Amino acid sequence: MKKSAFSQQKEAPEKNEFAEKDENEEEENEDEEKNDDKIIEEKKDDKEKKIHEDPFDYSDDEDEIEDKIADLNTIPNFFEIPKPVNQFKPPLPPGATSSDNPLLKKYAPLDWKTAFPTTYNICNDTLPIYISGEQGPNLVCLHGAGHSGLSFAPLALVNKNYRIISFDFRGHGYNTQTPSNDLSEKTLINDTIEVLNHVHEKYPDENLILIGHSMGGSIATKTCCQILKEEEKYKELYKKMQGLMVIDVVEGTAMDALPFMENIVNNRPERFNSIQKGIEYMYKSGTIKNIDSARISVPPLLREDVNKSGTKTYVFKTNLMESKPFWNEWFIGLTKAFLSCNIPKTLMLAGIERMDKDLTIAQMQGKYKLSILRNVGHIMHEDKPEEVMKVIKDFITTFRITAKETEMKPIIGKLGNQDPNQKVVVPLKYDKWNANK
């Protein structure tokens, strides 16, 4: 008997819709896995290539940037689309090179004159002075080896209460004093006293606070010690000197680090293709942890030079290896000099482990104020200028240092946990502190 079409259809094996979907999904997953494996292999190859490339070379990104710009031009004109990068050329400070690559704009130099609107030279037009602020007390700042007075530009930008004055040591920044390689302790102290005498002539009634970083901290300490010991010779400076602040330098730690200093200096790049590359190196190497600070302070450290092939490059102005004969004398005797300065003083460090035995004992005896800053490098006034300025403000407030000498009255007594034999300068309105009454 012939079966009906209906019965034949009924007896035919039924197709499982879910099974078909699973098969399709498996095929799609297999394709996706193959694509993922291919992408991973491509990324692996790219990564291996980049290992051997210059980490500061962005030339490979230009095609990608142009493609992105082309994509931007296809967007409906609901808003104004930025001009292509190769048409955007912002003004740059002297010595900076323009670039079509937007990544280099991150390291473009910033004009330091924003921080120090007043600048001029003394000592027969050879020693540059940088001034910011309208009122005292005058914070005279001494930079470290290999840096310049513009290392304090970030501090000047956040300053609202005092006058900040910095300068370039010979052989550094824009200083043209000769001999430029004479960085002996005696010469640097004499140059510092020359600056202090000028500041006193310019602002005769205003008090002084010395602030020094690294090598500059040691020179500031020894300069202050010399002025206080020879009152008759430095009579006016003696009366105006009201405080000492030292940034991240301790004799013991510095002397222990000197054997490694030569390797550190020699491992720096000899030259850069542009100022931006110099800024990028100082930032990415961790020398300066604040990119905006680096964009201000690094350009004055570099000068134009021509390599063997005749290409214009940039090199460091200061040859630190030439200063090697003076490294020991910069720091020997620093602790003794610091503790012997009988004026209010503070030590700012990037870590408590940098303290040596003598400083630890003296700090426990209350002979100076200690401030520890966290998450900063050696150049803490560039890394976190706001925090350093807060320490400065607290120091001036704690010891009641005012702008002018006429507002002050020197006494011998004890203020807080200070050394009883330390000269403390107190405003007239706080005459109740006078221990002689």
Side-chain angles (χ1 to χ4, degrees):
M1 183 176 175
K2 192 176 181 179
K3 294 183 179 180
S4 66
F6 175 78
S7 61
Q8 289 178 357
Q9 182 180 359
K10 187 176 181 181
E11 291 177 0
E14 294 181 359
K15 292 184 178 181
N16 191 332
E17 294 180 0
F18 295 105
E20 289 180 357
K21 287 183 180 180
D22 290 340
E23 290 176 2
N24 292 335
E25 287 178 357
E26 288 178 2
E27 291 177 359
E28 290 176 0
N29 290 336
E30 288 178 1
D31 292 338
E32 289 178 359
E33 289 177 359
K34 290 179 181 179
N35 290 334
D36 290 341
D37 292 339
K38 186 176 180 181
I39 292 171
I40 291 170
E41 288 297 324
E42 290 176 353
K43 287 183 177 180
K44 186 177 180 181
D45 293 338
D46 291 340
K47 187 175 182 180
E48 290 177 354
K49 289 179 181 179
K50 288 181 179 179
I51 291 174
H52 305 287
E53 294 175 353
D54 181 359
F56 300 145
D57 185 7
Y58 300 116
S59 58
D60 295 339
D61 298 328
E62 292 179 358
D63 293 337
E64 183 180 350
I65 292 167
E66 290 179 359
D67 291 341
K68 289 182 179 180
I69 293 170
D71 292 339
L72 280 175
N73 290 329
T74 63
I75 301 174
N77 192 21
F78 297 121
F79 53 87
E80 184 179 356
I81 298 174
K83 293 180 180 180
V85 174
N86 57 6
Q87 294 181 17
F88 177 68
K89 295 182 179 180
L92 296 173
T97 58
S98 61
S99 172
D100 290 342
N101 196 315
L103 292 177
L104 288 182
K105 292 196 297 181
K106 178 179 179 180
Y107 304 105
L110 296 175
D111 193 351
W112 54 264
K113 291 181 181 178
T114 305
F116 289 110
T118 302
T119 179
Y120 54 85
N121 294 337
I122 62 172
C123 297
N124 296 321
D125 204 34
T126 60
L127 195 161
I129 301 283
Y130 311 103
I131 301 177
S132 174
E134 300 298 329
Q135 62 182 11
N138 295 319
L139 314 181
V140 181
C141 303
L142 285 65
H143 65 81
H147 299 278
S148 81
L150 297 173
S151 173
F152 293 95
L155 201 63
L157 287 173
V158 300
N159 169 52
K160 297 179 181 179
N161 302 294
Y162 317 110
R163 182 179 290 108
I164 292 181
I165 302 171
S166 68
F167 65 97
D168 294 338
F169 280 120
R170 60 180 64 210
H172 293 74
Y174 298 107
N175 188 306
T176 57
Q177 286 177 292
T178 55
S180 60
N181 60 353
D182 181 8
L183 297 176
S184 64
E185 175 188 294
K186 181 180 179 180
T187 298
L188 297 182
I189 289 175
N190 288 338
D191 289 346
T192 302
I193 290 176
E194 191 77 31
V195 171
L196 293 175
N197 284 329
H198 169 77
V199 172
H200 170 64
E201 291 175 5
K202 190 174 180 67
Y203 309 106
D205 296 329
E206 296 184 355
N207 289 311
L208 298 171
I209 296 174
L210 276 185
I211 301 177
H213 166 244
S214 194
M215 175 202 76
S218 182
I219 299 301
T221 300
K222 293 178 179 181
T223 301
C224 183
C225 189
Q226 182 170 312
I227 291 172
L228 295 177
K229 283 183 178 179
E230 302 181 46
E231 180 180 354
E232 291 302 318
K233 183 177 180 180
Y234 305 105
K235 189 173 182 180
E236 293 301 321
L237 292 181
Y238 177 88
K239 290 190 293 184
K240 300 297 187 301
M241 192 66 62
Q242 302 299 329
L244 172 65
M245 306 189 74
V246 176
I247 300 176
D248 209 42
V249 59
V250 171
E251 180 180 346
T253 307
M255 297 302 296
D256 290 343
L258 287 184
F260 308 100
M261 187 60 64
E262 187 171 347
N263 288 335
I264 294 172
V265 174
N266 289 331
N267 285 333
R268 297 192 308 177
E270 291 185 4
R271 59 186 67 244
F272 305 98
N273 292 332
S274 66
I275 287 182
Q276 287 96 328
K277 294 291 186 182
I279 295 171
E280 183 178 20
Y281 166 75
M282 295 292 278
Y283 176 64
K284 287 192 171 181
S285 66
T287 305
I288 302 173
K289 299 180 181 295
N290 185 327
I291 181 61
D292 291 328
S293 296
R295 292 170 68 188
I296 298 175
S297 65
V298 174
L301 308 182
L302 305 174
R303 63 174 175 83
E304 252 184 55
D305 190 43
V306 178
N307 62 16
K308 294 179 180 179
S309 63
T311 304
K312 184 176 74 171
T313 59
Y314 293 87
V315 298
F316 286 109
K317 291 179 181 178
T318 306
N319 187 339
L320 286 175
M321 289 310 301
E322 286 187 356
S323 67
K324 184 179 178 181
F326 310 114
W327 291 354
N328 283 336
E329 65 182 74
W330 286 347
F331 303 109
I332 286 178
L334 171 58
T335 297
K336 182 178 179 181
F338 179 74
L339 296 178
S340 68
C341 288
N342 288 325
I343 57 173
K345 51 187 177 284
T346 191
L347 176 62
M348 284 182 269
L349 296 178
I352 192 68
E353 68 279 358
R354 304 185 186 217
M355 294 276 287
D356 59 24
K357 180 181 177 181
D358 291 338
L359 284 176
T360 301
I361 294 173
Q363 194 271 329
M364 294 175 68
Q365 293 174 341
K367 292 185 177 181
Y368 68 93
K369 185 179 173 71
L370 175 66
S371 296
I372 304 296
L373 274 68
R374 305 295 181 185
N375 302 317
V376 295
H378 179 52
I379 318 175
M380 62 176 68
H381 53 289
E382 291 199 48
D383 295 343
K384 292 190 176 181
E386 296 89 351
E387 290 191 20
V388 173
M389 180 52 67
K390 183 179 183 301
V391 172
I392 293 172
K393 186 176 180 180
D394 290 345
F395 174 78
I396 292 173
T397 302
T398 299
F399 292 103
R400 298 168 171 83
I401 301 174
T402 56
K404 296 183 179 182
E405 180 195 4
T406 53
E407 301 171 6
M408 312 295 289
K409 182 177 180 180
I411 63 168
I412 301 297
K414 187 172 180 179
L415 179 63
N417 62 348
Q418 292 302 300
D419 183 355
N421 297 319
Q422 181 169 333
K423 183 184 82 169
V424 182
V425 181
V426 181
L428 291 175
K429 64 181 179 179
Y430 291 103
D431 194 57
K432 64 182 180 180
W433 288 89
N434 194 328
N436 295 326
K437 282 190 173 183

